[in-house]
Amino acid sequence: MSQFLPEAFQTYIPMLIQLFYLVAMALFIFGIKRLSSPATARSGNQLAASGMLLGIVVTLFDREIVTFEFIIAGIVIGGVLGVIAARTVKMTAMPEMVAIFNGFGGGASAIVAWGELTRAGADVTLWAGQDLGTAGLGILIGSLTFSGSFIAFGKLQGFISGRPITFIFQNYFNLVLTGAILVLIGWFISDPTNMPLFWTIFGLSLFLGILTVLPIGGADMPVVISLLNSYSGIAASMAGFVINNNLLIISGALVGAAGLILTNIMCQAMNRTLGNVLFGAFGGGGTAVAADDIGDKSVQKTFADDVAIQCSYAKKVVIVPGYGLAVAQAQHTLKEVAGLLEEKGVTVKYGIHPVAGRMPGHMNVLLAEADVPYDQLFDMDQINPEFKSTDVVLIIGANDVVNPAAKTNPGSPIYGMPVLNVEEATRTIVFKRSLSPGFAGIDNELFYADNNQMFFGDAKKSLQALSTAIKELD
Amino acid sequence: MEDLIFNLFIFVLASFVGFELISKVPPTLHTPLMSGANAISGITVIGAVVVAGSVDGVYSQWIGFAAIIFATINVVGGFLVTDRMLEMFKKKEDDQ
């Protein structure tokens, strides 16, 4: 687009582009900074988006860009697909959506590295070794982000079994495969026109992404998506090294750091190390541990009328929502029940476990969607001391995050994971479809406790029945 | 080689900035943050634009075209979906 500008202007264009890149970078940093507070988060996201728009627009003035058909067509097609996806996705499907977007971002970075190599054609032999090396790394990281993200998506959607899919010596195999790809990249540096070699690197990287994610259980997918999010940032950075673009390098590094921090937070919440998540083949497979000691334990069943009475005459009720609540789309009904109890003078609080939902903060988003006021939401550390003085705890669609085995049974796969101390309350009521184990596949002793009652059924129908029952008490 | 070293400095410094910025975000905002950061990683669209807009070969233009579609889905979808999530938080603020 630079040809449309006055002649005298031409010499300054490269410098101006860089200056605008600097502004875009500042917008990204301010944007992320503002994302740290609920009050400013939305404007932060908009700042980052405007930084992105600025970055794209000034790039159009790059002297290397002379035709626009492909650019316009690509942006229109991608933009329309992006808008449709973002507008129609349900809030509960957010982890899947992030996985897909992330996969496309990583894939794009790999394709950019490929495109740069193709652009250079035979001149690629003139490239410096480190540029070929970063191009190879960009293709490796970008491709494995792409294939890994789509496997994660498939696992969350249920297209692929959520159980860990493993084979013997798998971790060693993946390690050897990673090493092999790195060696091939080394070879590629010395022989950059070798196309079969190039395609082998591409193909093996895609394969590595699939093999890395397949053995990880469905319950750990958010950690994986967060890590892949970090990877896609690093892939963008690598693409930046290839085309020597500061904005790409910086933005990619920011995202890479963000993804790592988030991944770490999620692992801490589950009291696991990242290595254990990636190589432990955990989640969805731990049933064997609990199966032998269920024995002939029995549960107490309860029904809407009884729950209504217990809650209405309580001083304090704590609601512990889990992903099952969101699956049943019962947030709004829950809000209604909470409202009815408050009218009766009952103190209602929500206790949110850090990994409630399927990503940190996911449950807060889902409850916000149902207009649950902020000040009723309490983090685990805030609500745990309060359970002793709580009359009734309603556990709706949550399981592993209230499992006392995490504190008492060293043999349990979730031993050591911080959980909500619901059993300290006078009464706990678990809303659940059946006695089946949770997402992580572990049985829950809480269900058999003396002060616990089970309210079986679909969460939404149960809550509707409860709401009706509370109204009938008047 | 100077380019590589210079770029590495930038990369490492930006990573430190990222760690500092993000470690202070409250858990409530982690999901929107993940989604917003993910949209920023679509910055690779800039590289895609350069590949698609230069005339070093039709083949590379098609590759760039594919990269633009992928990256734009990431950017547009990512920012919009983040906005959708944050919009709901915003509403609470106004109520109070």
Side-chain angles (χ1 to χ4, degrees):
Chain A
M1 232 190 296
S2 58
Q3 63 269 31
F4 303 127
L5 296 175
E7 193 66 33
F9 220 60
Q10 297 295 332
T11 43
Y12 300 109
I13 289 173
M15 191 185 76
L16 284 171
I17 290 180
Q18 291 303 318
L19 285 177
F20 278 114
Y21 278 174
L22 193 64
V23 175
M25 178 205 77
L27 287 172
F28 286 157
I29 293 177
F30 275 122
I32 295 175
K33 180 98 192 147
R34 291 180 75 85
L35 268 168
S36 24
S37 150
T40 55
R42 198 171 179 205
S43 71
N45 185 53
Q46 286 159 352
L47 273 184
S50 56
M52 181 68 70
L53 184 66
L54 180 67
I56 296 171
V57 170
V58 299
T59 305
L60 297 177
F61 288 91
D62 189 308
R63 225 167 294 168
E64 286 188 84
I65 297 174
V66 284
T67 64
F68 295 93
E69 301 91 332
F70 286 98
I71 296 175
I72 293 166
I75 288 183
V76 168
I77 295 173
V80 168
L81 291 175
V83 170
I84 293 173
R87 286 261 172 268
T88 54
V89 65
K90 289 201 185 79
M91 281 298 150
T92 45
M94 211 42 78
E96 287 96 316
M97 195 76 258
V98 176
I100 291 187
F101 286 153
N102 191 46
F104 279 123
S109 293
I111 300 174
V112 166
W114 171 30
E116 272 298 307
L117 290 167
T118 314
R119 247 181 90 196
D123 291 342
V124 78
T125 48
L126 303 177
W127 278 29
Q130 65 264 25
D131 290 337
L132 290 166
T134 46
L137 288 177
I139 286 169
L140 165 62
I141 302 169
S143 309
L144 90 84
T145 303
F146 178 78
S147 58
S149 296
F150 277 86
I151 296 291
F153 164 76
K155 285 206 170 219
L156 287 170
Q157 279 286 14
F159 296 147
I160 303 168
S161 165
R163 292 188 171 267
I165 299 169
T166 52
F167 57 85
I168 192 163
F169 296 134
Q170 185 165 32
N171 291 335
Y172 297 104
F173 185 83
N174 287 353
L175 198 65
V176 169
L177 184 59
T178 312
I181 297 172
L182 291 175
V183 169
L184 290 178
I185 291 173
W187 181 8
F188 179 68
I189 292 172
S190 64
D191 188 10
T193 52
N194 185 340
M195 286 321 277
L197 175 61
F198 172 82
W199 289 117
T200 310
I201 294 173
F202 225 130
L204 287 180
S205 305
L206 287 169
F207 190 50
L208 180 64
I210 296 171
L211 285 189
T212 310
V213 179
L214 268 185
I216 302 170
D220 283 335
M221 274 310 118
V223 177
V224 174
I225 294 171
S226 172
L227 186 68
L228 290 171
N229 182 29
S230 168
Y231 283 180
S232 77
I234 297 168
S237 246
M238 289 301 137
F241 277 92
V242 178
I243 64 170
N244 214 351
N245 183 312
N246 287 339
L247 184 57
L248 246 74
I249 297 174
I250 292 168
S251 323
L254 287 173
V255 175
L260 267 186
I261 291 278
L262 260 185
T263 311
N264 222 0
I265 291 168
M266 287 190 227
C267 288
Q268 277 169 3
M270 296 189 285
N271 197 32
R272 317 256 308 278
T273 62
L274 187 55
N276 184 239
V277 169
L278 292 179
F279 308 119
F282 172 90
T287 40
V289 182
D292 42 41
D293 61 35
I294 295 175
D296 50 359
K297 284 184 287 188
S298 62
V299 298
Q300 303 170 42
K301 285 188 207 165
T302 188
F303 300 94
D305 295 339
D306 187 41
V307 179
I309 292 168
Q310 294 191 52
C311 290
S312 300
Y313 292 99
K315 278 204 197 72
K316 182 156 82 175
V317 172
V318 174
I319 297 168
V320 176
Y323 184 64
L325 172 81
V327 171
Q329 287 293 320
Q331 308 94 295
H332 294 88
T333 324
L334 176 62
K335 160 102 202 296
E336 189 187 313
V337 169
L340 288 170
L341 291 176
E342 283 183 306
E343 281 172 25
K344 291 181 180 292
V346 181
T347 309
V348 179
K349 293 182 175 181
Y350 293 81
I352 316 279
H353 190 274
V355 293
R358 294 192 298 172
M359 292 197 288
H362 190 204
M363 189 50 66
N364 304 62
V365 172
L366 295 172
L367 291 175
E369 191 189 17
D371 287 329
V372 174
Y374 251 122
D375 49 13
Q376 288 187 353
L377 305 187
F378 292 87
D379 290 341
M380 179 171 63
D381 296 338
Q382 295 170 303
I383 201 77
N384 261 347
E386 294 205 25
F387 282 117
K388 281 198 182 74
S389 60
T390 301
D391 303 301
V392 182
V393 181
L394 301 178
I395 299 151
I396 304 163
N399 186 353
D400 298 326
V401 298
V402 294
N403 193 339
K407 289 175 291 189
T408 56
N409 178 5
S412 169
I414 58 165
Y415 182 68
M417 177 174 106
V419 288
L420 294 162
N421 302 326
V422 291
E423 72 281 358
E424 291 176 0
T426 315
R427 162 74 71 198
T428 55
I429 297 168
V430 176
F431 289 59
K432 211 169 175 316
R433 273 181 186 283
S434 66
L435 269 184
S436 68
F439 207 30
I442 304 154
D443 193 43
N444 195 338
E445 321 169 356
L446 175 76
F447 301 162
Y448 313 102
D450 291 337
N451 61 345
N452 180 64
Q453 294 180 335
M454 303 296 293
F455 187 176
F456 287 115
D458 173 78
K460 191 171 188 173
K461 290 201 183 103
S462 302
L463 284 167
Q464 276 163 349
L466 177 57
S467 166
T468 317
I470 296 174
K471 282 179 200 155
E472 282 170 359
L473 283 177
D474 293 326
Chain B
M1 193 53 96
E2 293 84 57
D3 270 354
L4 177 72
I5 297 300
F6 179 70
N7 288 343
L8 268 180
F9 269 93
I10 290 181
F11 177 76
V12 173
L13 285 174
S15 301
F16 277 110
V17 172
F19 283 129
E20 281 305 308
L21 278 177
I22 282 152
S23 54
K24 289 170 195 150
V25 177
T28 313
L29 287 170
H30 282 156
T31 294
L33 171 69
M34 180 160 155
S35 161
N38 181 42
I40 294 177
S41 76
I43 187 70
T44 198
V45 70
I46 286 178
V49 162
V50 174
V51 176
S54 58
V55 283
D56 297 303
V58 180
Y59 189 37
S60 69
Q61 283 197 306
W62 280 106
I63 297 173
F65 174 65
I68 290 183
I69 294 180
F70 274 33
T72 311
I73 291 176
N74 188 189
V75 169
V76 174
F79 281 124
L80 276 182
V81 97
T82 310
D83 194 61
R84 246 186 86 190
M85 282 190 261
L86 294 172
E87 192 182 16
M88 298 180 308
F89 287 126
K90 195 74 199 305
K91 211 162 49 189
K92 293 299 111 36
E93 302 283 314
D94 295 341
D95 288 348
Q96 284 161 12

